[in-house]
Amino acid sequence: MHAYRSHTCAELTKDNVGEKVRLSGWVHRVRDHGGILFIDLRDHYGVTQVLCDPDSAAFADVEKVRSEWCIRIDGEVKARDPELINPKLPTGEVEVFVREIEVLGASEELPLIVFGDQEYPEETRLRYRYLDLRREVMQKNMTMRSDVVASIRRRMWDQGFREYQTPIITASSPEGARDFLVPSRLHPGKFYALPQAPQQFKQLIMASGFDKYFQVAPCFRDEDPRADRSPTDFYQLDLEMSFVEQQDVFDTIQPVLEGIFEEFGGGHKVDKHWPQISYKDAALWYGTDKPDLRNPIKMQVVSDHFRGSGFAIFAKLLEQDGTEIRAIPAPGGGSRKFCDRMNSFAQKEGLPGMGYIFWRKQSPDSIAQERGITVKEVNALVKSGEITLGNEAAGPLAKNIGPERTEAIRQQLGLGVGDAAFFLGGKPKVFEAVAGRARTVIGDELGLTEQNRFAFAWIVDFPIYEKDEETGEVDFEHNPFSMPQGGMDALNGDPLDVLGYQYDLACNGYELVSGAIRNHKPEIMLKAFELAGYGEDEVKERFGALYQAFHYGAPPHGGCAAGIDRIVMLLADQQNIREVIMFPMNQRAEDLMMNAPSDPTNEQLRELSLRVVEQQD
C-alpha cells in the first residue's frame, strides 16, 4: 500500500465497503458522540467521515488530534446506516473505522478557523494565507482559476494561435501607470523595469512575421489598489494578429470568452449579442465606459426643458458653454421616500443634492384647486365619467418648471404613474461618474438590474487626445499606439476630434478587455506623438525598437488583452479580486505573509551602487 494513501477523501463509495484503505488529510472537525469519536477528514478533493471507538487500538491517539492536524489513517470501509447517509457528500454513504493513525503534522492553536464561514479581518487572512486557502470557497476559487486558464489556452490553440513568452525584465515604457524599476548591478545608476504589459514586444512579434501570438502574461503596475484591481501584478490573456481590422479581433476573442463564461458561469445566461457602443454614447447613456447592461436604464439629455425655466439653478447653468442637464429615468421609483434616499446618495457623493420629479395618480384635491370646485364635486364628476384621473408630477422641480415642461420630460423618458426621474447638470465630465453610480444604485434598489446574467458590450471610437483644463495642453487620453481613424488626414485637424481604432469590452460593470488596431506607420506615429508634445528624438529614445521596426515593412496588426483575475472574479461571483488571487497584496501593496517590501541589506545596496535617502516631511 502507498505510504500515505490508497484513495483520496472524495473517492470512497459503497462499492468499497469491506476494503482496508489508507487516507491522508487534515482534520476538518472532531465530534464526540458518547465516547465514539467522529472526524471529518479533508484533502484537496473532498471529505470522508472516519470514526473510532474505545475498541480500537488507535483510540487514545485519535483522542489527541485537533482541527487542522495533518494525519494518516488506516481503516476499514463500512456502510452508513440508511438514516445516517449524507447525500451532500460523494462519500456520504460510507465511513471508515480507524485501526491505525499517524500524525504527519500537528497544528498549534489556529489564528483563523478553516471550518465554517466565519469572517476574519483582511490582515489576518493575508498574514496566514496558507490557512485561508484551505477554506472550501478558496479551494474552489483557485481551482476554477486554474481550470479557466487551461481552457483559455486550449481555445486559443484551437483558433490557430501559438503561445510565445516575452521578457519580464525590460525597459521602462509608459502604459498609463507607474513602472516597477529594477536597479542594474552591472550598469550602476541604470534601471530595468518590469513590464506593465507586453505591448511593444507583441507588436515586434508581428513585425517579425509571426501571424498570431498569445500569452497568459504577467503584468506589473505600481497602481493604487481597488476592489477589482491588484496594486502590483496581474495576469492577462494577451493576443495580437497581423492583417486584421477591428471586427476581426472582435470575432476572435468573442467565442473564447463566450465559451469560458458558458463553461464556468454556473448556469448564468451568457449574452450572445455584444453591441458596439461608442465611447461618447456610453458616457451619455451610462456615465461610464464600462456599463452594466443588465441594468436597462439609459440616461438622456433634457437640457431644452430647463432653458429659461422657473428652476433658476439649471436655467443659469445652461447659460454657460459646455453645460447640459441629464435625466436618469427610474421606473418604479415614484415615491418621495425613494427620491429622498437618492438625494441623500448624491450628498454623500459630494453634491448639494439631486433634483427629481416623480409621477403619481392625480388626486381629487389637485383637480379641485385647479378648477375652483370642491373635492366632493370632483368625486361626483369622476364617478359619472366626466373626469378621468390622469397623472401628475410631484417634487420641487415639478413645481418650479410647471406642468407643460414636466409632461414633456415624462413623454421623452417614456415614464408614467409610479415612476421618477433624477437630474444632474453642469459640464458632463464633472458629473458623469456620479450619474453613472446613481444609475447603478437606482437599478439595484428598484430591482431593475437582471441577476444571473453576463451582459457584454464593446465600447468603441475612443478619443485619442484630451486637453488639460488648466494648462490647455493636449496629451494622450487613451492608448498612444492606436491607429487614428482616418490616418494622417485625421491628425491634420483638431486633435480633440481624432478617434482611435481602440476598443474595450465591458461585462456587468467591469472592463474585461482592452485593445486596438495599432499605428504601424512611422510617419503617422511621429505625428501622433508630436500632437501630444513628444518630439522625434524623444519618440526614438523611448520607443526606438518599435519605431525602427516600422521602417522595415511592418504589417497592419491589432489585438487586445483580457484580464484573467477580473474574469475569474466575475465567474466566482466575488466582489474583491483578492478572493481569486493565490497570494495577493493588501490595500497598501504589502505582502504581510512574506514581509514585502522589505529593507535591503547594506551589502545589497553597495552591489547596486544605491543609497537610501530618508524622505523629508
Side-chain angles (χ1 to χ4, degrees):
M1 190 177 287
H2 189 273
Y4 296 113
R5 58 188 177 193
S6 60
H7 299 78
T8 72
C9 291
E11 285 183 312
L12 298 177
T13 68
K14 61 183 179 181
D15 293 337
N16 300 105
V17 170
E19 294 181 14
K20 293 188 182 334
V21 297
R22 177 171 290 172
L23 303 177
S24 289
W26 287 267
V27 175
H28 198 52
R29 61 174 177 167
V30 182
R31 305 185 305 283
D32 186 342
H33 286 190
I36 300 177
L37 298 175
F38 290 86
I39 293 175
D40 290 336
L41 188 65
R42 182 195 77 242
D43 64 9
H44 174 68
Y45 305 98
V47 174
T48 295
Q49 178 173 282
V50 303
L51 73 154
C52 192
D53 63 21
D55 292 337
S56 171
F59 186 77
D61 291 326
V62 173
E63 277 189 306
K64 298 175 184 176
V65 303
R66 296 292 180 267
S67 291
E68 295 310 302
W69 283 33
C70 187
I71 63 173
R72 172 191 63 79
I73 65 101
D74 288 359
E76 299 166 15
V77 181
K78 297 181 179 294
R80 292 200 200 189
D81 292 337
E83 64 273 14
L84 298 178
I85 288 174
N86 184 351
K88 295 180 181 178
L89 290 178
T91 60
E93 292 183 297
V94 298
E95 55 194 7
V96 178
F97 188 82
V98 179
R99 294 296 185 189
E100 183 181 320
I101 182 171
E102 178 186 1
V103 176
L104 303 175
S107 172
E108 297 179 2
E109 185 176 349
L110 295 166
L112 60 84
I113 303 301
V114 174
F115 170 74
D117 298 319
Q118 295 94 326
E119 290 293 328
Y120 290 92
E122 180 185 75
E123 181 175 340
T124 302
R125 292 184 61 198
L126 295 185
R127 190 177 299 279
Y128 300 98
R129 187 64 164 180
Y130 42 86
L131 292 178
D132 189 47
L133 287 169
R134 292 183 188 177
R135 294 163 57 230
E136 183 180 9
V137 66
M138 299 304 293
Q139 290 272 315
K140 286 181 177 178
N141 287 353
M142 299 309 155
T143 300
M144 174 188 281
R145 182 190 175 103
S146 178
D147 292 345
V148 165
V149 171
S151 185
I152 284 173
R153 281 194 161 104
R154 285 193 298 271
R155 293 171 190 278
M156 293 303 295
W157 278 96
D158 288 346
Q159 291 207 57
F161 284 78
R162 285 190 170 89
E163 185 167 10
Y164 302 102
Q165 285 70 45
T166 53
I168 295 300
I169 296 289
T170 182
S172 180
S173 172
E175 297 284 351
R178 296 181 194 88
D179 285 319
F180 280 105
L181 296 178
V182 181
S184 169
R185 177 180 62 84
L186 298 178
H187 305 279
K190 293 189 176 183
F191 293 80
Y192 303 102
L194 302 181
Q196 293 187 32
Q199 177 70 51
Q200 293 190 69
F201 286 109
K202 68 178 179 178
Q203 291 191 246
L204 290 167
I205 289 172
M206 295 300 102
S208 303
F210 295 88
D211 197 65
K212 290 182 176 180
Y213 142 95
F214 91 95
Q215 182 182 190
V216 176
C219 303
F220 306 89
R221 298 183 185 181
D222 187 2
E223 296 190 303
D224 295 329
R226 296 189 318 223
D228 67 334
R229 183 172 70 190
S230 169
T232 52
D233 56 286
F234 60 93
Y235 280 80
Q236 65 185 32
L237 164 61
D238 200 54
L239 65 94
E240 199 78 5
M241 301 181 286
S242 289
F243 307 110
V244 292
E245 297 179 304
Q246 181 169 282
Q247 189 61 45
D248 296 313
V249 179
F250 295 173
D251 293 343
T252 297
I253 193 68
Q254 178 166 347
V256 174
L257 294 184
E258 194 176 285
I260 290 294
F261 276 83
E262 286 175 342
E263 184 178 355
F264 299 99
H268 287 16
K269 177 185 174 184
V270 179
D271 284 5
K272 302 291 185 182
H273 172 61
W274 297 9
Q276 296 180 25
I277 304 168
S278 73
Y279 175 82
K280 182 179 179 182
D281 284 342
L284 167 60
W285 295 339
Y286 310 112
T288 176
D289 59 1
K290 41 184 181 290
D292 185 349
L293 295 193
R294 297 175 304 163
N295 180 348
I297 294 174
K298 268 189 181 182
M299 296 186 282
Q300 296 188 39
V301 177
V302 290
S303 303
D304 289 345
H305 302 300
F306 289 95
R307 296 187 199 280
S309 72
F311 190 61
I313 295 175
F314 281 177
K316 289 180 179 177
L317 192 66
L318 290 169
E319 293 173 4
Q320 303 172 28
D321 289 339
T323 59
E324 62 185 34
I325 312 299
R326 292 187 188 172
I328 312 171
S335 72
R336 192 173 298 278
K337 185 177 179 181
F338 179 73
C339 291
D340 287 343
R341 279 210 311 275
M342 290 308 302
N343 199 45
S344 297
F345 161 82
Q347 290 169 349
K348 289 176 184 175
E349 292 284 324
L351 299 178
M354 190 159 55
Y356 63 81
I357 298 172
F358 65 94
W359 286 270
R360 60 191 177 192
K361 199 165 186 65
Q362 202 170 21
S363 68
D365 284 343
S366 62
I367 295 178
Q369 289 177 9
E370 183 184 319
R371 298 199 174 194
I373 59 178
T374 67
V375 172
K376 187 176 181 181
E377 289 173 317
V378 172
N379 287 331
L381 291 170
V382 170
K383 190 174 182 181
S384 68
E386 294 182 46
I387 291 179
T388 301
L389 294 179
N391 63 64
E392 64 178 2
L397 272 185
K399 292 178 182 176
N400 279 282
I401 66 175
E404 288 186 11
R405 291 176 185 263
T406 54
E407 177 61 15
I409 290 172
R410 185 190 69 78
Q411 291 192 19
Q412 179 183 333
L413 301 179
L415 299 174
V417 173
D419 298 336
F422 297 89
F423 303 89
L424 289 166
K427 292 190 175 180
K429 281 214 168 186
V430 174
F431 70 78
E432 266 175 358
V434 175
R437 290 193 288 274
R439 171 186 173 271
T440 298
V441 171
I442 291 168
D444 289 343
E445 290 213 8
L446 297 179
L448 301 173
T449 302
E450 186 181 348
Q451 303 300 319
N452 303 324
R453 173 187 167 202
F454 295 112
F456 298 86
W458 286 109
I459 311 303
V460 298
D461 300 338
F462 280 79
I464 292 183
Y465 301 100
E466 66 179 347
K467 181 183 285 187
D468 188 295
E469 292 289 338
E470 293 183 4
T471 65
E473 294 180 354
V474 172
D475 203 349
F476 290 111
E477 182 171 4
H478 293 104
N479 193 324
F481 299 105
S482 303
M483 176 65 81
Q485 296 183 20
M488 185 66 84
D489 290 342
L491 299 179
N492 290 325
D494 185 345
L496 301 182
D497 292 334
V498 180
L499 302 178
Y501 286 112
Q502 183 179 348
Y503 35 84
D504 286 354
L505 180 68
C507 177
N508 293 11
Y510 294 96
E511 175 198 312
L512 291 192
V513 174
S514 188
I517 298 299
R518 317 301 178 185
N519 185 347
H520 71 284
K521 296 188 175 181
E523 66 277 11
I524 299 180
M525 181 180 180
L526 282 181
K527 181 66 175 178
F529 276 91
E530 178 189 319
L531 292 177
Y534 298 87
E536 183 175 349
D537 291 341
E538 187 173 2
V539 172
K540 290 179 179 178
E541 181 181 349
R542 299 179 75 174
F543 315 110
L546 198 61
Y547 176 72
Q548 197 63 43
F550 288 168
H551 286 78
Y552 298 105
H557 58 281
C560 63
I564 288 175
D565 312 281
R566 208 168 281 172
I567 288 171
V568 179
M569 185 184 79
L570 275 177
L571 291 170
D573 196 23
Q574 297 290 337
Q575 303 302 310
N576 195 304
I577 206 163
R578 288 187 292 282
E579 300 301 316
V580 297
I581 296 174
M582 189 76 84
F583 297 107
M585 299 284 182
N586 68 2
Q587 289 284 349
R588 292 169 48 83
E590 297 169 319
D591 184 340
L592 300 177
M593 185 179 64
M594 301 299 288
N595 192 30
S598 58
D599 295 322
T601 65
N602 288 330
E603 183 181 356
Q604 287 173 320
L605 290 174
R606 279 194 298 271
E607 281 186 336
L608 296 170
S609 303
L610 293 177
R611 181 166 61 92
V612 176
V613 178
E614 289 189 17
Q615 259 186 326
Q616 301 296 320
D617 292 334

